[in-house]
Amino acid sequence: MRYRTMGNTGTVVSVQALGTMTFGAEADEETSGTIIEAYVEAGGNFLDTADVYSKGVSEQIIGRWLAAHPTEAQQLVIATKGRFPMGPGPNDYGASRRHLTDALDSSLARLGVDSVDLYQIHAWDALTPIEETLRFLDDAVRAGKIKAYGFSNYLGWQLTKAAWIAKVHGWAPPVTLQPQYSLLVRGIEHEIVPAALDQGVGLLPWSPLAGGWLSGKYTRGTAPSGATRLGENPERGMEAWGPRSEDEHTWAVLDAVREVADGAGTTSAAVALAWLDAQPAITSTILGARTVEQLQQNIAAVDLDLGADALARLTEVSTPQTEVYPYGPQAVQQRFRPIVP
């Protein structure tokens, strides 16, 4: 395993984090515990969860595991999130002080800890003034309930606005951002990655295999079936089979990933994860798994060095199509200049 500091903090985390959205849903408690143990044995030390994962069950499973493994628990960096609905009332979700106070206290109780290392706002809240959210987070840092905070699913301007408001008021700054990012989803490179680099914020990409598309399990013209996410629900979320399978760009990327994997004697998933780990601003890539076998296959990517040629080829073939302005090549070039014309 390799390690980096968590964003602009001194906290050290493994370059692969264990995502636990499957805990209590696709993985029962026994399987979830085995997955944590395999992750820790591989040198991982960064667990990511959220209150909304299985309506708190994921946090409860982690909490019971931490209590049963106190020695290992001392070495783990624990991250959770709040913002999405946890009840039917109008104040049961959002990034208001009222909701986040309840959400954080409930998460700490389920995890069985006095504080978490990283607390993340799960998404932007257009109804709550960002000052209210940031002041709550600063108060939580000062109270010792959280050691640092970050965001998830924020746009570039939202991250920049939040970071500068915190700086102006002398509040604790954000240290991480969780965006969706993979060889098939690279839109964040236009605004979000530059904003993160500007503010010293570390990225924690989720869905690094694009919902399983980059794992090598899907082939052109063959609809998914069996015990896979798309096999069980072909219309699942943003990775739904129909729209993505009809896009030739998808298959061009998958073919290139497969060819690089064959040449390196490894898996498509390992290639996709290794490419992502080599991108700017990345702190740790979030790995989700239903089984120990899935986790171990993905952890193997930590030792894979693709080399400059393979990285360049994957970057080129996966470049997203954009309009001429403001993200086309000539428009991007306008934002840079040499010292001498």
Side-chain angles (χ1 to χ4, degrees), residues 177-200:
L177 174 67
Q178 279 198 31
Q180 183 178 179
Y181 193 19
S182 71
L183 276 164
L184 286 179
V185 182
R186 291 180 54 194
I188 73 165
E189 293 174 8
H190 295 312
E191 298 284 353
I192 296 173
V193 171
L197 289 169
D198 180 63
Q199 296 299 325

Side-chain angles (χ1 to χ4, degrees), residues 8 124 130-131 134 149-169 171-177 188 190-201 203:
N8 51 9
W124 179 260
I130 187 63
E131 292 84 354
L134 293 172
Y149 72 88
F151 305 121
S152 180
N153 303 308
Y154 273 38
L155 298 176
W157 72 265
Q158 294 166 345
L159 171 62
T160 299
K161 180 178 181 178
W164 273 102
I165 288 176
K167 186 174 297 186
V168 167
H169 287 280
W171 298 335
V175 303
T176 59
L177 174 67
I188 73 165
H190 295 312
E191 298 284 353
I192 296 173
V193 171
L197 289 169
D198 180 63
Q199 296 299 325
V201 167
L203 297 180

Side-chain angles (χ1 to χ4, degrees), residues 4 14-19 46 48 53 81 120 151-153 176-183 185-186 188-189 192-193 196 201-210 272-273 275-288:
R4 298 189 180 109
S14 49
V15 297
Q16 292 177 329
L18 179 60
F46 195 9
D48 178 74
Y53 293 168
K81 313 178 200 70
Q120 301 154 103
F151 305 121
S152 180
N153 303 308
T176 59
L177 174 67
Q178 279 198 31
Q180 183 178 179
Y181 193 19
S182 71
L183 276 164
V185 182
R186 291 180 54 194
I188 73 165
E189 293 174 8
I192 296 173
V193 171
V201 167
L203 297 180
L204 309 174
W206 58 268
S207 198
L209 297 179
L273 292 170
W275 177 87
L276 187 57
D277 183 69
Q279 301 313 300
I282 301 297
T283 284
S284 185
T285 300
I286 300 173
L287 305 179

Side-chain angles (χ1 to χ4, degrees), residues 18-337:
L18 179 60
T20 62
M21 189 170 69
T22 60
F23 289 12
E26 298 162 275
D28 60 23
E29 183 155 356
E30 181 179 357
T31 301
S32 299
T34 305
I35 289 173
I36 296 175
E37 290 166 12
Y39 173 72
V40 171
E41 288 175 3
N45 75 337
F46 195 9
L47 296 187
D48 178 74
T49 187
D51 58 1
V52 76
Y53 293 168
S54 300
K55 288 295 183 181
V57 175
S58 175
E59 289 180 324
Q60 291 172 338
I61 289 174
I62 293 170
R64 287 191 285 268
W65 191 92
L66 295 175
H69 301 80
T71 301
E72 293 86 346
Q74 287 184 338
Q75 300 302 318
L76 293 178
V77 176
I78 306 297
T80 192
K81 313 178 200 70
R83 189 276 196 192
F84 286 124
M86 290 298 287
N91 288 307
D92 289 334
Y93 69 112
S96 67
R97 177 178 287 272
R98 170 167 174 161
H99 174 65
L100 291 178
T101 297
D102 292 340
L104 176 56
D105 287 345
S106 297
S107 286
L108 294 176
R110 285 188 291 266
L111 290 165
V113 296
D114 295 325
S115 69
V116 290
D117 299 288
L118 180 67
Y119 192 65
Q120 301 154 103
I121 306 303
H122 214 152
W124 179 260
D125 180 359
L127 296 181
T128 301
I130 187 63
E131 292 84 354
E132 179 178 342
T133 303
L134 293 172
R135 185 58 189 270
F136 165 80
L137 293 166
D138 184 69
D139 288 346
V141 170
R142 294 174 187 274
K145 290 186 175 183
I146 67 176
K147 297 179 178 67
Y149 72 88
F151 305 121
S152 180
N153 303 308
Y154 273 38
L155 298 176
W157 72 265
Q158 294 166 345
L159 171 62
T160 299
K161 180 178 181 178
W164 273 102
I165 288 176
K167 186 174 297 186
V168 167
H169 287 280
W171 298 335
V175 303
T176 59
L177 174 67
Q178 279 198 31
Q180 183 178 179
Y181 193 19
S182 71
L183 276 164
L184 286 179
V185 182
R186 291 180 54 194
I188 73 165
E189 293 174 8
H190 295 312
E191 298 284 353
I192 296 173
V193 171
L197 289 169
D198 180 63
Q199 296 299 325
V201 167
L203 297 180
L204 309 174
W206 58 268
S207 198
L209 297 179
W213 279 90
L214 291 164
S215 67
K217 68 179 71 171
Y218 303 131
T219 56
R220 188 192 303 259
T222 304
S225 61
T228 65
R229 289 184 175 181
L230 289 184
E232 295 169 353
N233 181 10
E235 303 307 314
R236 178 190 174 103
M238 287 179 271
E239 65 260 27
W241 172 260
R244 190 166 276 175
S245 67
E246 295 168 2
D247 188 347
E248 280 301 315
H249 177 76
T250 298
W251 300 109
V253 174
L254 265 57
D255 289 345
V257 170
R258 187 175 296 110
E259 290 170 7
V260 171
D262 289 344
T266 187
T267 65
S268 290
V271 167
L273 292 170
W275 177 87
L276 187 57
D277 183 69
Q279 301 313 300
I282 301 297
T283 284
S284 185
T285 300
I286 300 173
L287 305 179
R290 292 183 174 194
T291 66
V292 171
E293 290 72 25
Q294 280 185 339
L295 176 68
Q296 291 173 335
Q297 289 172 4
N298 292 338
I299 285 178
V302 76
D303 296 321
L304 179 60
D305 182 1
L306 291 176
D309 290 344
L311 284 172
R313 180 188 178 193
L314 293 170
T315 298
E316 180 179 3
V317 74
S318 64
T319 298
Q321 297 177 347
T322 60
E323 295 182 358
V324 174
Y325 189 88
Y327 300 125
Q330 291 180 332
V332 171
Q333 187 178 22
Q334 290 176 351
R335 294 192 281 276
F336 300 90
R337 72 175 183 89

